[in-house]
Amino acid sequence: MPVVDVDPDELRHLTGHDEKDDEELKEDLFALGLEYEGETEDGLMQLEFAPDRLDRLSVEGVARSLRYQYGDDRGVYLPSTNDADWTIEVEESVPDERPYVTGAIVRGLDMDEAGLDSLIQLQEKLHATMGRKRAKGAIGVHDLTMLKGGPATGDGGGQKSIRYVGVEPDGDTFVPLDSNRELTPGEVLTEHPTGETYADLVADYERFPAIYDDVGLFSFPPVINGKRTEVEPDSRDLFIEMTGTDQWTIDKMLNIVCYALDARGGRVERVDVEYPDRTLDRPDLSVSHKSVSHQRIESLLGISLDPREVVDLMERAGLDATADVDDPEDIDPEELVYETEVPPYRVDVLHPLDLVDDVGRAYGFNDLEPRYPDVGTIGGRHERSRVEDAARDALVGLGFEDMLDFHMISEAENYERMGLDVPPVEGEGDVTPDPDAPVGARPPVTITEPYSEDYTMVRTWALPSLTMVLERNTHRAYPQDLAEIGLAAARDDEKNTRVSEHRTVAAVLARTDATYEDAKGKLQALCRAFDVDLETPPTQHPSFIDGRTASVVIDGEEVGVIGELHPRVLVEHDLELPVAGFEFRLSALR
């Protein structure tokens, strides 16, 4: 759990509540979820908190949360920004392993020794958490007055520019921090203590990341900055650059730093980041949007709330909220939904439950009174769970062997080896699944930095998993009739979580005489067991043979596909006998 050192006097100053003594501060901090862990030798409070609230990794962020808790601040605050006067030009030579950069300028800071210490601590804590020890994102902070911008090219016009490039290990020299002699990037990794610490991050690169101004090299990310641009307590104008393996991560890290410096009186100035194929306006201070129902808030917190009180609590949590009706009192609470705006420094709000947590925190979890339910009930299975168990029993009764496969898979297994194209999900536009796309061809939910190339995404359907089992069991006796009921998911930005999930039913029959009719017979028997109507109109699907493929239509709704696997799919999986199978959504059996 992250621990942040906070000066209580500075915290009182930044919150505007000098009347609070240390004990009152500890109680207020505990209400926010920050636990007091003791003091340093210098009398600083050591606060431990859950690592989701990375905006609280500095005294400025903690003070901001307290001001909202006290009701001094309300709603979403967006710092005012000046137009871009500087450009970061990204050259083609930048290493492919670390292609992304972002930046901002902050002018007019009221910096002192304590402010600089807080900035350094924030930098270190972000490196350790969101930056994954600098591997995913690294921060460089520089004294702007020591930089000399070159003339910007491309869309930069008359702006000043710096360049993000790739350099040879034995290329240009610079004086790194805590050193007094010129070193090449390669020498930094072997002759400088900080370089030795972070050498593993770039040791395998053919070219090293480097940032230049018109004077020369001044930053070697993610390892160390140059001494020429070192920030001092009297620095007033700062240039902040961040590089990494993911644009979203470094942009969010930049937002957290910009908000902290804004609290120190700084004025944020935008920077244009010019990639070879696009230009980004940074920092990205756009708000995100989430929704949550009134019923869900009351159900999870166990209290009754007036809609206006919910809006007030959300504003005290630093959010903006509106109900989707003109008068919330004229609508059934079960139908009332709040549309919320989330500030750009909040990287933790991913789900409606996060909004409920904010409401509960603003209300005060310690003020919630335990009470017995109005109606005594006996625990039981959820309807979905009963349907799933019944479907699994029916499949076993039909001769299938029940499988439990990993939900994670690779793009190659999920799409390419099944004859499907990988749907594109890149770009800044919303990603919404195509309702007419073949079963399994929805856009993937991918892992940004997977540990294994075999598990890079959540599967969009289960047939690839069963086909992989058949591939690994060609030495076993046939027939092999396999079935699985499990999770499938796809990227869908219309959902609060940006992910659409469902339970899916999949089955395969691998035998010398497997046909479409065999698979349909099993599917018909399963549907009869649940008293639902089945239709199988002809269709086409890349994974199946044309003319031996049909849609699965249950009670008038198209929910899946059935057919004989295409020969190219069989060859791809080293299968030497026919395979027929089907897949459809479990919810169709309810």
Side-chain angles (χ1 to χ4, degrees), residues 203-366:
D204 295 333
Y205 292 9
E206 292 184 6
R207 297 174 66 86
F208 290 159
I211 301 180
Y212 284 72
D213 66 353
D214 214 32
V215 175
L217 174 62
F218 69 90
S219 179
F220 174 24
V223 180
I224 196 168
N225 294 339
K227 190 170 185 178
R228 168 164 61 96
T229 60
E230 183 176 5
V231 176
E232 303 289 348
D234 59 351
S235 297
R236 295 293 176 261
D237 300 337
L238 303 182
F239 172 70
I240 305 158
E241 46 84 5
M242 301 189 188
T243 64
T245 60
D246 176 64
Q247 188 73 52
W248 183 91
T249 298
I250 58 176
D251 282 339
K252 290 301 182 183
M253 291 169 65
L254 178 64
N255 289 343
I256 292 172
V257 173
C258 285
Y259 267 84
L261 295 176
D262 176 79
R264 293 282 180 182
R267 184 177 67 257
V268 179
E269 182 177 296
R270 312 187 77 82
V271 168
D272 287 335
V273 180
E274 291 191 355
Y275 288 99
D277 59 345
R278 67 193 189 281
T279 298
L280 303 181
D281 181 18
R282 291 297 183 262
D284 181 8
L285 298 179
S286 58
V287 299
S288 58
H289 299 268
K290 300 291 179 184
S291 61
V292 62
S293 69
H294 186 88
Q295 181 186 33
R296 194 167 197 180
I297 294 173
E298 289 191 334
S299 173
L300 289 173
L301 296 181
I303 56 176
S304 297
L305 294 169
D306 182 272
R308 286 168 293 195
E309 187 178 6
V310 173
V311 172
D312 175 73
L313 292 171
M314 286 190 175
E315 290 179 349
R316 284 184 51 205
L319 311 172
D320 280 340
T322 57
D324 60 354
V325 292
D326 295 332
D327 187 354
E329 294 184 352
D330 291 339
I331 192 172
D332 187 332
E334 294 186 1
E335 300 178 3
L336 181 59
V337 175
Y338 301 96
E339 302 295 335
T340 66
E341 291 185 350
V342 182
Y345 60 83
R346 291 289 301 274
V347 299
D348 59 301
V349 181
L350 305 175
H351 190 276
L353 292 179
D354 298 315
L355 301 176
V356 178
D357 180 74
D358 276 4
V359 172
R361 190 74 64 184
Y363 181 89
F365 285 125
N366 291 337

Side-chain angles (χ1 to χ4, degrees), residues 58-294:
S58 66
V59 64
E60 296 87 0
V62 175
R64 178 172 53 249
S65 293
L66 282 177
R67 287 185 58 80
Y68 278 119
Q69 187 77 351
Y70 295 151
D72 297 335
D73 292 336
R74 303 181 65 83
V76 173
Y77 168 70
L78 296 176
S80 58
T81 58
N82 291 350
D83 293 338
D85 190 41
W86 285 73
T87 297
I88 302 175
E89 297 181 351
V90 184
E91 299 190 359
E92 297 280 2
S93 60
V94 168
D96 293 337
E97 298 90 344
R98 201 173 190 88
Y100 300 107
V101 65
T102 192
I105 287 172
V106 181
R107 299 182 186 270
L109 280 166
D110 183 17
M111 187 77 79
D112 55 14
E113 193 72 45
L116 180 57
D117 289 343
S118 178
L119 176 60
I120 293 172
Q121 177 179 230
L122 176 60
Q123 182 179 8
E124 292 175 348
K125 298 296 183 181
L126 284 174
H127 280 160
T129 53
M130 200 170 183
R132 301 293 190 271
K133 298 181 179 179
R134 304 194 188 187
K136 194 173 184 180
I139 307 167
V141 183
H142 310 271
D143 190 325
L144 182 66
T145 60
M146 301 306 296
L147 290 176
K148 182 180 180 181
T153 60
D155 297 332
Q159 297 175 350
K160 304 170 187 176
S161 75
I162 64 171
R163 297 177 296 121
Y164 181 40
V165 304
V167 298
E168 298 294 335
D170 58 353
D172 293 335
T173 61
F174 73 115
V175 180
L177 289 173
D178 302 321
S179 178
N180 292 312
R181 64 190 184 96
E182 297 269 348
L183 297 173
T184 65
E187 290 171 339
V188 168
L189 301 185
T190 58
E191 302 179 23
H192 192 286
T194 302
E196 293 174 358
T197 301
Y198 297 103
D200 289 345
L201 296 178
V202 296
D204 295 333
Y205 292 9
E206 292 184 6
R207 297 174 66 86
F208 290 159
I211 301 180
Y212 284 72
D213 66 353
D214 214 32
V215 175
L217 174 62
F218 69 90
S219 179
F220 174 24
V223 180
I224 196 168
N225 294 339
K227 190 170 185 178
R228 168 164 61 96
T229 60
E230 183 176 5
V231 176
E232 303 289 348
D234 59 351
S235 297
R236 295 293 176 261
D237 300 337
L238 303 182
F239 172 70
I240 305 158
E241 46 84 5
M242 301 189 188
T243 64
T245 60
D246 176 64
Q247 188 73 52
W248 183 91
T249 298
I250 58 176
D251 282 339
K252 290 301 182 183
M253 291 169 65
L254 178 64
N255 289 343
I256 292 172
V257 173
C258 285
Y259 267 84
L261 295 176
D262 176 79
R264 293 282 180 182
R267 184 177 67 257
V268 179
E269 182 177 296
R270 312 187 77 82
V271 168
D272 287 335
V273 180
E274 291 191 355
Y275 288 99
D277 59 345
R278 67 193 189 281
T279 298
L280 303 181
D281 181 18
R282 291 297 183 262
D284 181 8
L285 298 179
S286 58
V287 299
S288 58
H289 299 268
K290 300 291 179 184
S291 61
V292 62
S293 69
H294 186 88

